[in-house]
């Protein structure tokens, strides 16, 4: 059963799907999948390899037909009304093909002419993805990161409202990953909706504003990132003897305090990270001395493991390994 964590507010969806099913022969890939992508910002579709991410994206783009269910993109049912909406969508699902001996700029100019877009737009997208300095080099000299930026530039030629990227950082080095992440953030901040799929927890956590967690062809949870993290508040965890007395002291000093099995969880009332040194000083004034004091934030990895507990998504390999590799 999926867990919705969009809080109690009306949301304008860029993408929403209900009850999607898809099988290839005897293999069931999607099992009644429901998911939602809010307009604006970056939405992550997170799940292990083989969980149904790419099949879901292909259905949205009309590349694969679902066996059952319905999907809507920018308010249009697909594939039924795909021609009315496809011009507002840019996507990278597989590695796009460019002429290796032509420059990045020339590749984009040829593509722009084929779809009826002027040369001025090529200049604009080169600037938008930070490719202007390398635009006149042959494409075959580009690093994987520059090739991916060229692909993103190609998706922007029609000025789409929705961008869909399937595993866009695969094979990139850390610098390339950082560049693609920054480009996606810039596109989202300019008002576009970016849907990005990934099996890498840390990548989604660093870039996404909202997320859908998918496993074995169904959504396990989805919502704004802070809601998926359980509204998790930064806190300081302390291990201390006479925990009850320590809790009274800290509450009197203005902190929120909750008991833990082996100590206390201390939080600021405004949701910010508490000052560990101030906590230690407050306790020390009452001759209470913590033997452990650590600042903690709930990670997407921890939330993922909690959400998928008992789901057996990845067999005996271990959830973290299968998702992170």
């Amino acid at each position: 059963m999926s867990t919705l964590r969009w809080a109690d507010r009306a949301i304008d969806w860029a993408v929403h799907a209900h009850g999607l099913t898809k099988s290839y022969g005897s293999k069931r890939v999607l099992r009644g999948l429901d998911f939602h992508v809010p307009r604006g910002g970056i939405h992550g579709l997170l799940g292990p390899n083989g969980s149904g991410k790419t099949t879901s994206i292909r259905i949205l783009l009309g590349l694969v037909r679902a066996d059952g269910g319905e999907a809507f993109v920018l308010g249009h049912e697909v594939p039924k009304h795909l021609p009315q909406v496809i011009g507002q969508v840019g996507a990278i699902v597989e590695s796009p093909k460019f002429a290796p001996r032509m420059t990045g700029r020339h590749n984009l100019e040829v593509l722009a002419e084929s779809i009826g877009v002027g040369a001025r737009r090529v200049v604009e997208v080169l600037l938008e993805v930070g490719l202007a300095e390398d635009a006149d080099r042959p494409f075959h000299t580009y690093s994987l990161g520059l090739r991916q930026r060229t692909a993103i530039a190609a998706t922007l030629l029609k000025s789409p409202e929705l961008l869909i990227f399937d595993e866009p950082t695969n094979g990139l080095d850390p610098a390339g990953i950082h560049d693609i992440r920054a480009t996606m953030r810039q596109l989202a901040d300019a008002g576009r909706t970016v849907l990005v799929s990934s099996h890498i927890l840390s990548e989604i956590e660093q870039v996404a504003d909202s997320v859908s967690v998918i496993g074995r062809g169904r959504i396990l949870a989805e919502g704004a990132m802070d809601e998926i993290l359980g509204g998790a508040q930064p806190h300081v965890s302390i291990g201390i003897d006479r925990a009850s007395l320590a809790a009274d002291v800290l509450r009197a000093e203005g902190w929120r305090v909750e008991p833990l099995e082996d100590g206390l969880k201390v939080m600021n009332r405004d949701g910010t990270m508490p000052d560990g040194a101030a906590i230690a000083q407050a306790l020390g004034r009452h001759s209470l001395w913590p033997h452990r004091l650590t600042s903690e934030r709930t990670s997407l990895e921890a939330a993922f493991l909690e959400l998928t507990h008992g789901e057996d998504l990845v067999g005996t390999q271990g959830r973290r390994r299968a998702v992170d590799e």
Side-chain angles (χ1 to χ4, degrees):
M1 179 179 296
S2 66
T3 302
L4 299 178
R5 303 193 181 192
W6 294 109
D8 297 323
R9 61 181 184 272
I11 297 177
D12 184 16
W13 304 117
V15 172
H16 62 283
H18 305 287
L20 292 181
T21 59
K22 181 65 183 177
S23 296
Y24 295 101
S26 61
K27 182 179 180 182
R28 295 177 64 193
V29 179
L30 300 182
R31 304 165 182 250
L33 181 139
D34 304 320
F35 83 109
H36 307 76
V37 178
R39 286 185 188 256
I42 300 174
H43 184 85
L45 184 59
L46 171 67
N49 289 328
S51 60
K53 301 186 302 296
T54 297
T55 297
S56 302
I57 287 173
R58 286 177 172 274
I59 288 172
L60 296 178
L61 296 172
L63 301 174
V64 169
R65 183 175 291 273
D67 298 331
E70 56 184 7
F72 297 84
V73 174
L74 300 176
H76 298 266
E77 186 177 1
V78 295
K80 183 177 181 180
H81 298 299
L82 187 62
Q84 288 96 308
V85 74
I86 195 62
Q88 302 172 58
V89 179
I92 303 174
V93 179
E94 296 178 346
S95 298
K97 305 300 182 184
F98 293 98
R101 297 194 177 278
M102 288 167 49
T103 65
R105 185 191 305 274
H106 193 183
N107 270 289
L108 292 173
E109 287 172 343
V110 171
L111 180 58
E113 184 177 358
S114 71
I115 61 176
V117 174
R120 180 176 179 179
R121 181 61 185 155
V122 173
V123 175
E124 292 172 349
V125 300
L126 286 170
L127 291 170
E128 197 165 359
V129 302
L131 197 59
E133 292 185 4
D134 298 286
D136 296 311
R137 287 171 45 196
F139 183 80
H140 72 85
T141 68
Y142 282 5
S143 66
L144 284 175
L146 288 178
R147 293 181 184 204
Q148 194 70 316
R149 275 196 268 173
T150 305
I152 293 174
T155 70
L156 295 175
L157 287 171
K158 295 184 294 182
S159 300
E161 179 180 343
L162 171 65
L163 295 163
I164 301 177
F165 301 142
D166 187 21
E167 302 274 6
T169 60
N170 269 1
L172 300 185
D173 60 22
I177 291 172
H178 177 271
D179 288 344
I180 296 303
R181 187 190 305 143
T183 299
M184 289 192 293
R185 183 75 268 164
Q186 179 182 341
L187 294 172
D189 289 346
R192 294 184 173 92
T193 302
V194 180
L195 170 59
V196 54
S197 77
S198 182
H199 64 285
I200 303 174
L201 286 160
S202 58
E203 186 63 28
I204 292 296
E205 184 171 18
Q206 291 185 61
V207 75
D209 303 301
S210 56
V211 64
S212 297
V213 180
I214 185 173
R216 293 196 182 279
R218 53 196 173 89
I219 293 297
L220 302 176
E222 61 178 10
M225 183 65 76
D226 58 351
E227 293 164 0
I228 287 292
L229 296 181
Q233 184 172 337
H235 63 275
V236 169
S237 173
I238 65 173
I240 194 168
D241 298 328
R242 297 189 287 168
S244 178
L245 177 58
D248 290 341
V249 168
L250 294 174
R251 289 189 183 107
E253 293 282 344
W255 283 290
R256 290 177 52 215
V257 182
E258 295 179 2
L260 298 173
E261 286 187 7
D262 58 348
L264 299 171
K265 178 179 178 179
V266 184
M267 296 162 283
N268 282 343
R269 295 189 180 279
D270 63 0
T272 59
M273 177 65 78
D275 184 342
I279 291 171
Q281 291 169 5
L283 293 170
R285 288 194 290 269
H286 294 265
S287 297
L288 296 167
W289 312 107
H291 53 79
R292 186 193 76 251
L293 191 152
T294 56
S295 298
E296 298 182 2
R297 298 178 187 271
T298 297
S299 67
L300 184 56
E301 178 184 337
F304 180 88
L305 293 176
E306 180 180 351
L307 290 166
T308 59
H309 179 68
E311 293 288 346
D312 189 27
L313 296 185
V314 292
T316 59
Q317 293 178 351
R319 293 185 183 89
R320 176 174 179 177
R321 181 177 179 182
V323 174
D324 272 347
E325 290 185 353

